[in-house]
Amino acid sequence: MPERLVVVTALGVEARAVRRGLGDATLRVCGMGPRRATHFGRGLRTEAAIAVVGFAGSLTSTLRPGQVVVATRVINGDTTVELPSASLVAAHLRQLGIDVVTGSIVSTPSIVRGSARGELHETTGAIAVDNESAFLLAEWRDVDRRRLAVVRVISDSPDHELFSPGTIARGVRGARVLRRIGPALTAWAGALGPRRVVLAGPRSFCAGVERAIDIVRRAIDRFGAPVYVRRQIVHNSHVVHDLETAGAVFVQELDEVPEGATVVLAAHGVAPEVRRDAESRNLRVVDATCPLVAKVHTEARRYARDGFSIVLVGHVDHEEVIGTLGEAPDRIVVVEGADDVDALQLPDATPVAFLTQTTLALDDTASVVGALKARFPDAVGPRGDDICYASQNRQQAVRAIAEECDVVLVLGSANSSNSKRLVEVARRAGCDAHLIENDTEIDLRWFDGARTIGVSAGASAPEFLVTGVVDALARLGPVEVTEHTVVVENVRFNLPAEVR
Ligand code: SF4
């Protein structure tokens, strides 16, 4: 197997500490200072990834001994070398529970102490200093920058000078940190390389999510901040954060909303008692329930009025299901899987109807509906199910790309039902798949040997998150991006009168 990773340290003590977790990586000691670093760098010829690792001094009081700095750039005089992989290495170290920051490291010919630290920070913007990194990198000008990393553990700082009391204890603590970084370097080296990225189309926002976000923004414009929103407007933390910045205040229940204030009801829909509660509290209500969820509520009311027992297929703790259930709690029973259908106990002699949550997986739902029809042949319901166009299209697109991908990444929050279903669909198609909130949750080990990466996003996840992941992949090697579109969407929903 060709060499994958070379780790270079200045000191033997650093090499011994970092050895753990490096697997079959090559460990080399270059010696201290610019002259030895230059000599070593000139002699090193490898196609592998190269990580320069060891101790460094902090240039600011905000960095403490024991913290790790992953260099985004390395500076020496007028020369700056950018290191594109830095944020990915740092993210992986964070996943290992290591206290890490990213920033510039400056290399100097001699040890920097006292007031010179602050001056160097002021003139270069660097947060840490060493005596080798820039001199090594200067000898590797022809190496693809994505194959280079500089990872340093802070050993001394303005408040903890070298050779002051505690130096040995700080050194021991720093060595312990160095011992833990090997797995991240190994994962990074394994993840490097050229790739194809296949974007699933459609992906990201659906018409219901766009409408809900638009409603909150317009409500803030029209009625002024704060506008209260009951529960997450859509299940995505980035969207919620953006709207909070714009003036929205998210609450769990209406008793947290001051009397007479404006409240937006989230896209997943609510039970009728929530509307009654809002009315009794004299709140101005703007309803962002997706029209496709509202349609299921209407069906539930109609079936209940006509005397049906209603089987609702969905996840019992999901807000959409809780809302629909509230339309007729005495008549609706929730089932999650085909197995639940056998255990159903419905009153004799009442007709049976079924409804489904809008964001379920098509395959799972088909099997539950099949079990329902087998047990209750006269059961009535939607022609197939109530799964919305957006969930169907995104699942179809992920299934299509999974066939040609080694790994599929789905952008979405952990509480997003439709995003989780996309991961299941990809896995069912035989592909490794992961749900991530954003690119910082990438686990570099997923990409070892993976040459084609699929990317999708749940209906509540903004497109900029997809761009972030593609950018991250491009920091590991050249990427060729293609899009596999299974259908073009042009659905739009009208806004409620209050904000039109
Ligand atoms: Fe509406 Fe479907 Fe989007 Fe949910 S995923 S908001 S049901 S269009």
Side-chain angles (χ1 to χ4, degrees):
M1 190 154 167
E3 188 175 54
R4 280 179 136 189
L5 172 64
V6 176
V7 175
V8 180
T9 68
L11 302 171
V13 66
E14 294 166 330
R16 282 191 293 283
V18 81
R19 186 186 306 278
R20 183 185 288 190
L22 279 180
D24 55 5
T26 305
L27 200 48
R28 304 285 302 273
V29 177
C30 69
M32 265 188 86
R35 194 176 55 77
R36 291 192 182 91
T38 300
H39 178 73
F40 175 89
R42 198 165 293 158
L44 182 72
R45 289 291 166 261
T46 178
E47 295 300 311
I50 309 172
V52 179
V53 177
F55 295 121
S58 166
L59 297 179
T60 78
S61 295
T62 53
L63 271 183
R64 295 180 313 279
Q67 274 189 301
V68 172
V69 178
V70 180
T72 49
R73 61 181 68 83
V74 175
I75 303 165
N76 177 23
D78 294 338
T79 309
T80 298
V81 178
E82 305 280 342
L83 298 173
S85 289
S87 61
L88 288 153
V89 175
H92 204 96
L93 287 165
R94 257 178 226 119
Q95 289 164 18
L96 296 175
I98 294 172
D99 186 1
V100 56
V101 297
T102 54
S104 302
I105 289 181
V106 61
S107 295
T108 56
S110 55
I111 290 173
V112 173
R113 309 181 62 172
S115 61
R117 292 181 193 262
E119 288 159 18
L120 199 53
H121 173 62
E122 285 294 313
T123 53
T124 64
I127 57 173
V129 58
D130 68 18
N131 305 130
E132 296 86 19
S133 297
F135 305 103
L136 288 162
L137 297 187
E139 299 304 316
W140 302 328
R141 282 183 203 88
D142 300 336
V143 175
D144 184 337
R145 299 288 184 241
R146 293 173 282 211
R147 280 207 285 126
L148 300 172
V150 174
V151 181
R152 295 282 188 177
V153 178
I154 296 300
S155 57
D156 51 276
S157 69
D159 305 322
H160 303 89
E161 282 292 356
L162 270 179
F163 312 121
S164 66
T167 295
I168 293 178
R170 287 194 292 277
V172 170
R173 195 170 355 133
R176 266 195 225 121
V177 178
L178 279 176
R179 266 185 226 133
R180 297 172 58 203
I181 68 176
L185 298 177
T186 307
W188 163 68
L192 292 170
R195 292 207 160 75
R196 219 158 65 77
V197 176
V198 186
L199 303 177
R203 62 181 177 278
S204 192
F205 285 172
C206 61
V209 165
E210 279 181 353
R211 174 179 180 269
I213 295 169
D214 199 14
I215 286 172
V216 177
R217 289 196 181 282
R218 283 169 177 255
I220 293 168
D221 282 351
R222 184 155 302 182
F223 306 118
V227 159
Y228 293 83
V229 183
R230 184 184 177 275
R231 309 281 168 93
Q232 286 195 332
I233 182 74
V234 299
H235 284 157
N236 188 272
S237 55
H238 297 276
V239 171
V240 168
H241 177 72
D242 272 5
L243 292 175
E244 276 175 336
T245 309
V249 174
F250 289 84
V251 297
Q252 270 299 106
E253 298 300 344
L254 293 186
D255 58 13
E256 297 166 59
V257 182
E259 201 142 318
T262 301
V263 66
V264 178
L265 303 178
H268 311 102
V270 297
E273 66 172 301
V274 175
R275 292 178 202 284
R276 286 195 290 271
D277 189 17
E279 202 174 323
S280 72
R281 296 177 59 77
N282 195 25
L283 303 178
R284 179 195 283 125
V285 173
V286 188
D287 190 357
T289 302
C290 175
L292 301 182
V293 175
K295 175 171 157 276
V296 179
H297 280 240
T298 305
E299 288 165 352
R301 285 196 297 272
R302 180 167 60 82
Y303 285 134
R305 189 195 59 216
D306 294 347
F308 282 81
S309 292
I310 304 164
V311 180
L312 174 59
V313 184
H315 298 286
V316 72
D317 54 353
H318 191 277
E319 281 168 40
E320 180 188 326
V321 169
I322 293 167
T324 310
L325 185 61
E327 293 288 356
D330 300 337
R331 292 205 160 264
I332 299 178
V333 54
V334 180
V335 297
E336 295 207 347
D339 293 348
D340 299 338
V341 174
D342 293 340
L344 268 178
Q345 293 193 339
L346 300 180
D348 290 338
T350 55
V352 175
F354 69 89
L355 300 169
T356 75
Q357 188 181 335
T358 56
T359 51
L360 298 178
L362 285 161
D363 299 349
D364 290 342
T365 309
S367 75
V368 184
V369 169
L372 272 170
K373 286 188 169 165
R375 180 148 176 223
F376 306 104
D378 296 329
V380 297
R383 215 176 320 145
D385 48 52
D386 296 301
I387 298 174
C388 74
Y389 80 96
S391 297
Q392 298 201 26
N393 291 345
R394 279 152 191 72
Q395 288 175 32
Q396 199 189 333
V398 161
R399 196 178 296 111
I401 64 164
E403 288 168 12
E404 55 175 319
C405 292
D406 300 307
V407 178
V408 167
L409 301 179
V410 176
L411 277 307
S413 289
N415 61 345
S416 162
S417 172
N418 80 85
S419 304
K420 288 193 281 191
R421 303 296 83 80
L422 296 181
V423 174
E424 290 168 6
V425 166
R427 287 184 182 155
R428 209 165 286 157
C431 190
D432 188 18
H434 305 276
L435 179 67
I436 53 173
E437 186 82 59
N438 54 45
D439 61 296
T440 67
E441 293 191 352
I442 286 174
D443 183 332
L444 292 169
R445 291 171 300 181
W446 298 335
F447 303 146
D448 195 347
R451 288 291 159 247
T452 306
I453 311 293
V455 184
S456 182
S460 47
E463 176 69 11
F464 77 82
L465 298 173
V466 172
T467 311
V469 166
V470 175
D471 288 349
L473 290 167
R475 282 181 262 130
L476 293 168
V479 292
E480 177 203 333
V481 182
T482 58
E483 184 151 3
H484 187 140
T485 302
V486 295
V487 58
V488 176
E489 292 177 343
N490 50 17
V491 177
R492 290 281 174 276
F493 295 132
N494 289 333
L495 291 165
E498 296 86 347
V499 293
R500 217 172 285 153

